[in-house]
């Protein structure tokens, strides 16, 4: 497997995000339009792609959220590659990149309809926090954070 640092201009990332959006539309149902408006990828400068045999199989991104915090966005692993530790690998690469950038904390939002994502983040050391920003009063949202250490 190969881990690649790139941006949202990467075509492989765009294709994976389209698959992610399809899956989330199914899971979120009528709530999808609300979430989708906050998940644009036009200006993501810190994207991780995981490739195997020249095929992109997973992705994730971080974007600035305040002075010393990055928000984890667009985490996705193709269905046929799940349960192999690839999401953990992707998240770890994002956190390492955040540390390289001098970031002290990562935050994220996921949904109650994504129990496997919640389990991944908890196992990776993320703790539930009060919902922030646009997710503040959203019943389905679960917000989490992790302090990063060298």
């Amino acid at each position: 497997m190969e881990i690649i640092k790139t941006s949202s201009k990467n075509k492989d990332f765009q294709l994976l995000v389209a698959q992610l959006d399809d899956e989330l539309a199914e899971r979120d149902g009528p709530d999808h339009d609300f979430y989708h408006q906050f998940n644009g990828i036009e200006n993501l400068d810190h994207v991780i792609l995981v490739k195997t045999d020249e095929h992109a199989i997973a992705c994730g991104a971080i974007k600035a959220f305040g002075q010393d915090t990055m928000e984890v966005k667009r985490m996705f692993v193709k269905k046929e590659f799940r349960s192999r530790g690839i999401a953990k690998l992707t998240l770890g690469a994002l956190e390492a990149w955040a540390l390289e950038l001098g970031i002290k904390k990562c935050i994220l939002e996921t949904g109650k309809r994504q129990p496997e994502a919640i389990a991944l983040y908890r196992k990776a050391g993320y703790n539930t926090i009060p919902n922030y920003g646009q997710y503040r009063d959203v019943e389905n949202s679960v917000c989490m954070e992790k302090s990063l250490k060298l």
Side-chain angles (χ1 to χ4, degrees):
M1 273 189 272
E2 181 182 11
I3 296 173
I4 299 166
K5 289 180 177 178
T6 187
S7 75
S8 59
K9 291 175 180 55
N10 184 293
K11 297 295 182 200
D12 286 331
F13 175 67
Q14 294 170 9
L15 290 171
L16 287 173
V17 167
Q19 292 175 43
L20 168 62
D21 285 339
D22 289 345
E23 186 173 317
L24 290 175
E26 191 175 305
R27 285 188 188 217
D28 292 336
D31 294 336
H32 183 69
D33 287 340
F34 170 78
Y35 290 109
H36 190 68
Q37 68 181 318
F38 303 115
N39 287 317
I41 62 168
E42 297 78 29
N43 299 308
L44 295 174
D45 295 326
H46 303 94
V47 169
I48 292 290
L49 275 182
V50 179
K51 286 187 158 188
T52 183
D53 299 325
E54 300 298 316
H55 299 288
I57 60 168
C59 64
I62 50 176
K63 75 174 202 175
F65 191 95
Q67 188 173 6
D68 63 353
T69 303
M70 286 282 209
E71 185 177 23
V72 177
K73 305 291 286 179
R74 315 289 36 209
M75 286 284 296
F76 179 72
V77 177
K78 284 185 162 188
K79 283 184 182 181
E80 62 268 30
F81 293 96
R82 292 181 186 166
S83 300
R84 298 184 191 181
I86 297 168
K88 180 181 176 184
L89 177 77
T90 305
L91 183 60
L94 289 170
E95 291 171 352
W97 199 355
L99 279 169
E100 288 174 23
L101 297 168
I103 300 302
K104 297 178 181 165
K105 179 172 61 172
C106 281
I107 62 169
L108 60 87
E109 182 276 339
T110 191
K112 290 180 182 175
R113 296 181 193 107
Q114 298 157 339
E116 61 285 317
I118 293 169
L120 165 73
Y121 297 131
R122 284 202 174 117
K123 192 172 182 180
Y126 283 76
N127 297 307
T128 304
I129 58 172
N131 289 0
Y132 58 84
Q134 63 268 23
Y135 309 112
R136 186 164 285 121
D137 297 318
V138 180
E139 175 65 29
N140 182 53
S141 288
V142 177
C143 292
M144 305 176 96
E145 75 176 7
K146 178 179 179 179
S147 294
L148 302 177
K149 297 177 176 83
L150 291 174

